[in-house]
């Protein structure tokens, strides 16, 4: 792992690195909804059971967007890593889903 890469971990530390500054809490948030076509396709698929691929794709894209926004937030604070990263998800309505990525922005250096 090169130090010039942005580091994102779910642990409280990065092996081989030490945190030299803590910049604080950071987050990235997105709210998504399937379009009408995707909702109809997912509704039909749900009648027969099994994985609903339209929603899996939407949730994967949502997690990626929330993670990117969290990294942008951390970089704007001068961090080069985020530790203790977590995701949270909630329904806003029957057709909207909120995805939140959050953690602690830090500056790390190789030990």
């Amino acid at each position: 792992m090169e130090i010039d890469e942005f580091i994102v971990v779910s642990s409280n530390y990065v092996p081989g690195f030490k945190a030299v500054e803590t910049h604080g809490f950071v987050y990235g948030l997105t709210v998504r909804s399937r379009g009408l076509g995707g909702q109809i396709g997912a509704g039909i698929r749900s009648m027969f059971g099994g994985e609903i691929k339209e929603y899996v794709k939407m949730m994967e894209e949502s997690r990626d967007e929330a993670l990117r926004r969290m990294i942008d937030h951390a970089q704007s604070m001068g961090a080069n890593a985020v530790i203790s990263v977590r995701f949270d998800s909630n329904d806003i309505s029957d057709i909207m889903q909120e995805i939140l990525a959050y953690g602690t922005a830090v500056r790390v250096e190789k030990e």
Side-chain angles (χ1 to χ4, degrees), residues 46-86:
S46 70
M47 290 189 298
F48 300 102
E51 182 176 62
I52 302 173
K53 294 179 177 152
E54 294 84 0
Y55 285 114
V56 170
K57 184 175 191 291
M58 180 187 78
M59 294 306 290
E60 287 174 345
E61 290 171 354
S62 297
R63 283 177 58 114
D64 289 346
E65 184 172 352
L67 190 61
R68 169 54 37 208
R69 288 179 178 175
M70 181 196 69
I71 291 169
D72 290 346
H73 186 193
Q75 287 176 324
S76 75
M77 296 171 76
N80 66 351
V82 179
I83 59 173
S84 304
V85 173
R86 304 288 186 267

Side-chain angles (χ1 to χ4, degrees), residues 25-28 66 70 82-88 100-104:
F25 180 78
V26 290
Y27 67 91
M70 181 196 69
V82 179
I83 59 173
S84 304
V85 173
R86 304 288 186 267
F87 285 96
D88 192 15
L100 173 67
Y102 62 95
T104 301

Side-chain angles (χ1 to χ4, degrees), residues 1-8 14 17 68 71 75 78-81 106-110:
M1 179 182 305
E2 294 297 320
I3 193 64
D4 61 343
E5 297 176 8
F6 196 89
I7 301 166
V8 176
V14 181
F17 293 81
R68 169 54 37 208
I71 291 169
Q75 287 176 324
N80 66 351
V106 295
R107 174 151 294 283
V108 296
E109 293 178 352
K110 280 194 179 229

